[in-house]
Each structure stands twice: as C-alpha cells, then as structure tokens.
Amino acid sequence: MSRPMGRIDAALALATRHRRSLTVAMVLLVAGIGFAALRLVLREVHLSDVRAALAEVPRARIAAALALTTTSYLLLTGLDWVALRSVGRPLPWRIAAAGSFTSYTLSHNLGLSLITGGSARLRLYGAAGLAFGEIAQVAAICGLAFWAGVAGAAGVGLIVGDGVVLGPVTLGPGLSRGLGAVLIGLLAVLPLLRTRGITTLGPERFGVALPSLKQMASLGALSLADLTVASAALFVLVPAAAPGAFPGFVVAYAVAVVVALLLHVPGGLGVFETVVLASVPGDRPALFAALLLYRLIYYLLPLLVAAIGIAGAEGWRLRHPIRRGLSYVDRAGQLLAPTAVTVLVFVAGFVLLVSGALPGVKDRLSDLDDMVPLPFIEGSHMAGSLIGTAMLLVAPALNARLRSGWAAARLLLVGGAIFSLLKGLDYEEAALQLVVAGVLQYCRASFYREGGILTDRPRWPWLIAAAAALGLSLWAGFFAYQRTPYSDELWWRFALDGNAPRFLRASFAAGVLLTAASAWQLLTASRTRTLPDALPPEGVLDAALAASTRTDAALAFTGDKSFVVSAAGDAFLMYRVQGRSWVVMGDPVGPVAAWSELVWSIRRACDARAGRLCFYQASERMLPLFVELGLQAIKYGEEAHVALAGFALAGPKAKSLRHAVRRTEAAGAVFSVEPAATVPALMAELAEVSAAWLAEKAGREKRFSLGVFDAGYLSRFPVALVRVEGRIVAFANIWTSGDGEEASVDLMRHRPDAPYGTMEAMVVRLIEWARGEGYERFNLGMAPLSGMPSGRLAPVWARLGHALFANGERLYGFAGLRAFKAKYGPDWVSRYIATPSGVAMPRALIDLARLVSA
C-alpha cells in the first residue's frame, strides 16, 4: 500500500512543481480538441455555402443584432454599478460603465478573465481610489451574478420550452422542467443565507461580502436579462429561426458559454462554436455563418470600440495636459491605452493570419497578376502570415509599454498593409492595418519603457492566445480547402489559383516562427537583468559616507550593486535587479534632504523598464517616502541596538556573557583590533578561518545584505581578532558610521576548534572597544520576523511572519538568533520591506528572497 501511495505523492509533487506548464499544455490541448471537434461538426459544410449564407443574412437582422449587443453591454455595466454600492464604494455610472465595458470586452475576447478583465478593473477603479481588496470584491460579486444569470436563463428556458434537444442529448418536457426548477431553486441559496444573517461567503478575511437582498435582486435581474439579450443577438442572425425555438436556443447558448468558460480557451474560440453547432438544429452553413457574424458583432466590434475610445481618451489627455487628473475616465484612458492598443495589434495580426489561410478573391488576383509577377504574390502571401505571427509575439511588449515594442509594431503594421495589397489586393485588410498603425502613432507617448522584445520571461496568457489564434487560422484553412486532395506535390505547386499550397506553406512558416520565438524566449530570457555598476566617484563616496548614520552603508563596497547618485553628488542609494524587481538595500546613504530625489530617480528608472521597486531593511524614516511612492510597507523584523553608555557585565542578565568571557580567557584567547592597513598581511590566515567556517555551514557567500570574504573588501575595514597561542581562531570585520555614533560587525567567522563561547566573548570585547572609541551604540544586526504583531486584527503578512518566527526554527533559527542578541540587552528597532501593493507584492517578495539567499 505504501508504494502506490508514495507514487501518488510523488506524482502530486511533480504536478505541483510544474503546475504552470501543465496548465498551459492543458489549455492548448483543449483548444486543439475544440478545433478538431469543430472540424468534425462541419465536415459536410463548404466555404462556398457559408459565403452564400452570409450574403443572405438580411440587414435588418444585423441591425437587430447590433442593437441587442449594445443592450447587453449596457446591462453588464449595471452589474458593476450595483456591485460597487454593495461594497460601500459607490462611483458615478460613467466610471462603472467604463470599468465594466473594458473588463468584459477584454475577457470576452482573450479569456482568463481574472487576468484580463481583472486588470482593467484594477487600473480603473484603483485610479478612482478603491483598494485592491475592494476591487476583488466587486469582481467576485459580478462573477457570482454572471453565473446566477446563466443558471437563471437556462432554468427559465428549460421550464418554458417543450423539451430540449442538445445534440445527442434529448430532455423530455418533464425532465426539462424538473432540471429547470433545480437551477431556479439554486438561485435562492444566497438570498436564504443573507436572510439568516450570513453576510460573507467564505473565510472572514478573504470571503465575498454578500449584497443586500435588494441588491441581489437587481444583480440577478440584470444578469438574467443580459444572458437573454446576448443569446437573442445570435438568435436573430440565424435564418428561419422560429420564435418558439428561442427557449431551447437559450439553453444551448448557456451550455456553450459555460463550457467555453470552464475550459479557459481564450475567447472560447472553437469551443463555443462547436457546442452551439452540436446543440442547435438547423442548416449547418447558415448557423455557422450566424456564428461568424456574432463573433464579429458581439466580440470584436465592442473590443474595437473600447480600444479606440481608450486611445482617444489617452490622446486627448496628451494634447490637453491641463485636463489631467480632472476626470476619472481621462485617467482611465491614460492607464488602459497600452492594453487597448495591444489588443488592436493582436487582432490585426490575427486578421492577417486568417486572411493568409483563406483563398483570395479571384478577380482581384487576376488584376494583381497583370501588375506584378507571380513570385511577388507568393512571397507577399508568406510575408503577410509571418508578419501576422510577429504581431502576436510583439503584443506582450506593447502591453508592457516598451518603446521597442511600439517601434516594431508600427513597422509590422505598415508592412502588413503593403503585403495585404501585394498578395491579393486586400485593401480592407490594408486599411485596418493602417488604422491601427495610426492609433498606435497617436498613443506614442504611452510607450516609454526601455527593454527588448522577447527578452523577458514568457508571458503565458499571451502565448496561449497566440497559439489559439494560429490554431484557429489553421482550422479556417483546412475548412476552406477540405475538398482539395492532399499530396506531397501540393507543397511545391506555384500558381495563381494555388491557394491551398500557399496556405500550407504560410501556415508552416508561421508555426515555425511562433515555436522558435517561444522557445527562444523560454531558453534565453535573462533572470538577473543587469551587471553591477562601478562604485560612485570617490568624492561622492566620501561625502555620502561622512553623513551616514548607519553602518550598513559599507555594503556599497561588496561589488554586486548598482547606484543612483544625487545631483549634488553628496548622496547615493544602492540596488540590484533580480528578475523584474529592483531591490534597494537599506536607506539612501547621505543627507536626508537628498533621499526624496534619490528614491524618485530610481522609481522613474524602474518604471521605464517595467520593473517592480522594492526596498529591503529600510528604517522608519523611509515610511513617509513609501507613502509618496505608492508602496506598501511591511515590517520585516527588528534590529538590535546596544546603548554603549549603559552596557555592563554586572547583574544576573549578563551571567552567560560573563561565563563566556571567563571561559575563553581561561582557554588562552586574546582579543585585539587590527587597523585596516594591517589586514592584507593577515589575509591568508583569515581565509583559512573563513573556509573552515563555510565548510561547517555547508553554505556559500551571500553578498547583497551581507559582506563577502574578499581581500579587497576586507582590506577596507578594521578587523577584530581572537587568537589562541598566537593562532587566529575567530575574526570579524568592523563597520562604523560616518557620523561617529554607530559601530557594528559584518562577517563573524571562527574555526571549529575555537573555545566554547568565543563569539559571545568577542562581541562583548567589541562593544567595550566601541565604547572606548567614543561610539554611542553598537548594532548587532537584524533578527528577521521578530516583533511581528499576531493578534486577530493584525495583517495577514504579520500573522504569517509571527507564525514562521515561532515555528520555523529548523528552517532558519529565527528565535535562536533573537535570543543570542537579546543577551546584550539591546533596544529593538523596526526595519521594513516596501513593495508595490496587489498582485505585484508576492512576485517582488519572491525575487527578494532569491536575491538575499543567493
């Protein structure tokens, strides 16, 4: 029994470790299955039939679909408007409408609603003053309302209809009404919980606050009306659709929506169409033509409207700076323009891919053949598909506001317009590419960050969407040429009417490009982005260190950091880039008056490179600046400061220290402090001590927040030594602050055979030495996670830190480290980490953990 269980545990551990890769593979697999199923459903449908069906759709039905689509999105704005009131943060309808419309248009088209739609709400409502938790509550309430509307619409359709046929599944009137009653009954669960006094669904701190009964009724009515209207927008496009069939159609539509959402395929591409085609009876070409029109009207057209609206708001802001900050919608345009333009470029690339998969218009090809030779047509067809694929790959760089992404996208759009004309006089596509290029040019100021394309870590949602777009274009091509017999010779056929060979060659090249670019990004994307800069000029170092009140300013000499220097040359801060996080070590070094200039300089530089700014082991004096920077401060632990004037070995509390001193002295240990000038002569023996200490610890040097054993580094500082019979058994290099008030130690290392209590005794002698030199305090360094609040009202991160401090002794020895330093009777001073709030916080903390443990 143990072996199977062990294998299961190992499999679960492997799945957890590779969860992201497995998720990506699963989504791609589901998308592939959806396209295969769609092809199977349409195996008897031909492209000519679909074109004929599209031509036969009356304009009045298209106008009705447009009106119903508008109504649907207006109803969706009501969900956000009510949800904002239910969390106690009402906003004007125009703001709720902007948040709802941008959120739903992005999530409808790209899927992954928590990432796409959620980011839109986060940016817009965050600009309006809502906290991350409040925005999450709004999104959760809207999500619950949406699912309630799906269940309600399906339930009503099952009850009203005279039985339902869903492909191979047939529900009789009795079973249909019974299932509908169950779905309607489920809608009463949340109101019943509310009437019983339950106001939160889930854990108290992370649960969803239940709206009032009146608000629940409003949300339910709006969501039910939305799903009904949205399904009607598709229903009116189906030729010869009888009104009596609408209840069953609503059920099929609801099932298709649920399946598409649960499978997480971007935009439900292929999956939604497959379920509707399999569930709704009728003429297959006509129904497929209706689905194509619906995809254009309900999905792509609102996306285009949202993108142009956001880009227009951004452009208006840039042309009229005086209006900045006066309107929430204007600020939303500033925040969302890159996302909107990104989606436009992605759609333009997708259009080029699908166009390359479908046959060209025969008359246009004939006219083009009279103007250019066949090789130009063949090459332009291939180039158009490759440019479309490249646009899909450039989209993440645009979303990150990279200047390089903007330049590449502009070039690709112009090239796409040119090759659209040269491959078949597709002037409609060329016009679309040029319009998007114009919008991109108009929003140029929004793309200001530095960085390269495909040099960052892969952004899986975009890669999944790109793979899905390529898969849909492949499906469209195989559907269009299903009557063409396949043969090896088909790949090498070059002719004006050789649409299928052109499709095969272009699709293969696009697939190779997408695969190669994804693999390149996966294998070569750098993790630690920059090499450390050289030290600031000696004049800057001297001026800044002279004004420093903290000894950890000496970390500037470890050789692994970059620097930002003040304009006056009297202050600097030190940092290092890990992943996308820019981690600043400690407080700025130099006069406090220069701190604001320094932190805002690195804030701008970090933002220009799409980074996350993080401060590590900062003091309380930095807290006002963290508020200005929009960062969230987290207590990291406490630093032990020994007041030298009051330190004494007398009394019961110092008993263990007296014992350590007596024991080491009895063993013949002699303490001394050697000036920095004599350290190079001692370096060989110090290296032996350090190597023995590292061998005992089975670890390696950590440079960022600690010093490192390096001859050039150690030679800058005095060194405290403990000798036994003339042989060095322990040492510590000494840091001192520029203002002459603080002394501290950095590296403290000893041989395994050093007398017991050597390190305690050395710290005692160092404290006495520092007092004799006139220093006011001795800094014993950090006790991580100590002093964290743990009460019921404490923040989650504080309670987690307290629990780790109390129970993580085997992991690090948190409590033991504090107990060692507490022997010296220190005052405990808080130290902080500051990171961006929201979803960026855990990512920054992970990068920080990697950096300080490296």
Side-chain angles (χ1 to χ4, degrees):
M1 184 68 180
S2 61
R3 286 186 178 179
M5 289 301 296
R7 292 172 182 171
I8 291 173
D9 292 340
L12 289 174
L14 183 64
T16 302
R17 189 161 58 250
H18 300 287
R19 179 176 58 183
R20 174 176 287 183
S21 300
L22 290 174
T23 302
V24 173
M26 187 60 66
V27 171
L28 292 177
L29 177 62
V30 169
I33 293 174
F35 292 143
L38 187 58
R39 178 174 174 78
L40 184 64
V41 170
L42 295 173
R43 61 185 180 275
E44 300 300 330
V45 178
H46 304 302
L47 184 62
S48 58
D49 300 328
V50 176
R51 284 178 171 173
L54 284 171
E56 292 175 1
V57 178
R59 293 184 178 179
R61 288 179 176 264
I62 295 176
L66 287 169
L68 290 167
T69 296
T70 303
T71 304
S72 172
Y73 280 96
L74 285 173
L75 290 168
L76 287 173
T77 64
L79 295 182
D80 279 59
W81 189 78
V82 176
L84 287 165
R85 276 154 176 74
S86 70
V87 299
R89 295 301 301 270
L91 294 175
W93 177 82
R94 68 181 184 277
I95 304 173
S100 171
F101 185 63
T102 52
S103 173
Y104 284 114
T105 50
L106 289 174
S107 59
H108 281 168
N109 284 275
L110 298 180
L112 303 168
S113 58
L114 288 178
I115 298 174
T116 55
S119 64
R121 282 195 178 97
L122 182 62
R123 290 180 176 181
L124 180 60
Y125 295 154
L130 269 69
F132 177 79
E134 294 169 332
I135 299 170
Q137 289 278 331
V138 171
I141 291 171
C142 290
L144 287 174
F146 172 80
W147 285 108
V150 172
V156 172
L158 289 167
I159 292 173
V160 174
D162 189 16
V164 174
V165 178
L166 297 174
V169 179
T170 302
L171 302 178
L175 182 59
S176 175
R177 293 188 177 95
L179 181 58
V182 170
L183 291 175
I184 297 297
L186 289 175
L187 300 181
V189 172
L190 292 182
L192 286 175
L193 293 176
R194 194 69 170 82
T195 58
R196 295 180 66 86
I198 298 175
T199 59
T200 304
L201 189 64
E204 179 180 355
R205 193 166 183 84
F206 299 102
V208 179
L210 293 178
S212 66
L213 291 177
K214 182 178 179 181
Q215 290 168 340
M216 282 189 186
S218 300
L219 290 167
L222 287 167
S223 184
L224 177 62
D226 164 61
L227 196 93
T228 304
V229 171
S231 60
L234 174 58
F235 186 74
V236 298
L237 295 172
V238 179
F246 183 62
F249 185 86
V250 171
V251 176
Y253 182 90
V255 171
V257 168
V258 171
V259 172
L261 288 175
L262 292 179
L263 295 182
H264 292 293
V265 176
L269 284 174
V271 177
F272 177 81
E273 287 82 0
T274 300
V275 176
V276 172
L277 285 166
S279 303
V280 177
D283 181 40
R284 301 290 94 184
L287 184 55
F288 187 59
L291 284 166
L292 291 178
L293 277 175
Y294 182 73
R295 176 72 66 175
L296 174 65
I297 293 172
Y298 193 84
Y299 287 82
L300 297 180
L301 187 59
L303 178 65
L304 182 64
V305 171
I308 292 175
I310 293 169
E314 170 69 358
W316 183 261
R317 183 193 66 82
L318 294 174
R319 288 181 174 272
H320 302 275
I322 197 172
R323 295 176 56 88
R324 185 182 305 170
L326 298 181
S327 166
Y328 287 129
V329 177
D330 187 57
R331 278 185 279 173
Q334 175 187 359
L335 292 169
L336 295 176
T339 302
V341 174
T342 298
V343 175
L344 278 179
V345 171
F346 190 92
V347 170
F350 175 63
V351 168
L352 282 176
L353 274 177
V354 174
S355 173
L358 298 178
V361 180
K362 186 177 297 185
D363 293 341
R364 295 184 184 180
L365 282 173
S366 299
D367 294 339
L368 185 63
D369 188 42
D370 296 334
M371 293 183 283
V372 297
L374 180 62
F376 275 80
I377 299 175
E378 296 282 357
S380 299
H381 191 278
M382 175 79 72
S385 295
L386 291 175
I387 285 176
T389 308
M391 287 184 190
L392 306 183
L393 293 168
V394 166
L398 283 172
N399 193 51
R401 306 190 183 202
L402 296 183
R403 190 182 297 113
S404 59
W406 175 86
R410 183 177 63 171
L411 181 63
L412 290 171
L413 287 165
V414 174
I418 294 172
F419 289 118
S420 292
L421 295 174
L422 291 177
K423 73 183 178 66
L425 293 180
D426 294 326
Y427 51 82
E428 301 93 344
E429 294 171 22
L432 173 64
Q433 308 294 319
L434 293 176
V435 167
V436 176
V439 174
L440 184 69
Q441 181 69 29
Y442 195 62
C443 299
R444 177 178 183 176
S446 296
F447 302 93
Y448 57 89
R449 289 174 174 163
E450 299 176 7
I453 302 170
L454 300 179
T455 59
D456 202 355
R457 297 181 182 182
R459 301 186 182 183
W460 296 111
W462 287 105
L463 289 180
I464 292 172
L470 180 59
L472 187 59
S473 70
L474 286 170
W475 173 86
F478 284 118
F479 172 70
Y481 305 116
Q482 57 185 315
R483 293 181 179 179
T484 303
Y486 177 80
S487 65
D488 291 341
E489 291 78 15
L490 197 64
W491 289 85
W492 312 110
R493 181 177 169 227
F494 297 91
L496 188 63
D497 60 348
N499 292 306
R502 280 195 287 270
F503 154 68
L504 290 174
R505 291 189 292 267
S507 298
F508 176 77
V512 169
L513 176 60
L514 181 61
T515 303
S518 302
W520 172 266
Q521 186 179 19
L522 182 65
L523 295 174
T524 65
S526 57
R527 296 301 185 259
T528 301
R529 299 292 187 264
T530 61
L531 294 174
D533 295 339
L535 283 172
E538 284 296 330
V540 175
L541 281 174
D542 294 341
L545 292 172
S548 172
T549 61
R550 291 181 56 174
T551 54
D552 59 4
L555 288 170
F557 299 109
T558 55
D560 68 329
K561 295 176 179 67
S562 301
F563 300 88
V564 177
V565 178
S566 65
D570 60 348
F572 67 87
L573 61 74
M574 45 191 161
Y575 71 98
R576 185 172 170 183
V577 179
Q578 174 70 31
R580 285 182 54 211
S581 299
W582 293 41
V583 183
V584 178
M585 181 63 222
D587 295 348
V589 181
V592 176
W595 288 14
S596 179
E597 173 198 342
L598 290 170
V599 298
W600 276 107
S601 293
I602 195 171
R603 176 74 176 85
R604 287 189 290 268
C606 179
D607 180 68
R609 293 161 179 83
R612 292 183 292 264
L613 185 59
C614 175
F615 287 80
Y616 180 56
Q617 292 190 17
S619 70
E620 291 181 351
R621 292 192 294 177
M622 289 291 290
L623 294 180
L625 288 174
F626 294 156
V627 174
E628 292 181 18
L629 294 170
L631 301 178
Q632 181 172 347
I634 304 172
K635 185 175 180 180
Y636 169 62
E638 293 179 322
E639 200 170 63
H641 290 183
V642 179
L644 298 181
F647 179 78
L649 289 178
K653 293 183 179 180
K655 180 179 179 180
S656 63
L657 298 180
R658 293 195 302 272
H659 176 70
V661 171
R662 286 197 298 266
R663 185 162 184 169
T664 55
E665 288 179 348
V670 178
F671 172 83
S672 65
V673 174
E674 303 293 336
T678 64
V679 171
L682 303 170
M683 199 61 64
E685 196 170 358
L686 296 179
E688 292 179 8
V689 177
S690 180
W693 184 85
L694 287 172
E696 284 286 313
K697 298 297 180 182
R700 56 182 178 177
E701 301 277 10
K702 297 176 175 59
R703 303 176 70 103
F704 182 70
S705 57
L706 296 170
V708 61
F709 190 92
D710 175 79
Y713 172 72
L714 285 179
S715 298
R716 292 179 175 271
F717 310 104
V719 173
L721 301 177
V722 176
R723 290 185 173 96
V724 176
E725 297 180 354
R727 174 173 169 260
I728 298 176
V729 297
F731 74 89
N733 64 303
I734 303 172
W735 286 346
T736 57
S737 64
D739 64 355
E741 295 186 359
E742 181 178 281
S744 182
V745 289
D746 177 25
L747 303 180
M748 292 183 65
R749 298 183 178 180
H750 61 85
R751 295 182 187 270
D753 60 351
Y756 180 80
T758 295
M759 304 313 288
E760 289 93 335
M762 184 165 65
V763 172
V764 170
R765 297 308 185 199
L766 276 168
I767 290 174
E768 293 173 343
W769 170 85
R771 181 167 54 191
E773 293 293 319
Y775 292 97
E776 295 185 2
R777 64 183 178 275
F778 195 88
N779 188 337
L780 292 175
M782 286 292 302
L785 303 184
S786 67
M788 309 284 269
S790 59
R792 183 175 62 87
L793 299 179
V796 174
W797 56 263
R799 284 187 281 172
L800 289 174
H802 178 81
L804 186 58
F805 177 83
N807 303 291
E809 197 64 21
R810 292 183 179 180
L811 181 66
Y812 180 77
F814 299 101
L817 181 61
R818 181 182 174 98
F820 172 82
K821 296 179 179 182
K823 297 177 184 179
Y824 301 91
D827 298 321
W828 295 98
V829 179
S830 297
R831 290 289 177 256
Y832 298 89
I833 293 172
T835 69
S837 59
V839 295
M841 176 187 286
R843 296 178 180 178
L845 292 177
I846 290 172
D847 285 339
L848 174 60
R850 288 174 176 168
L851 177 58
V852 299
S853 63

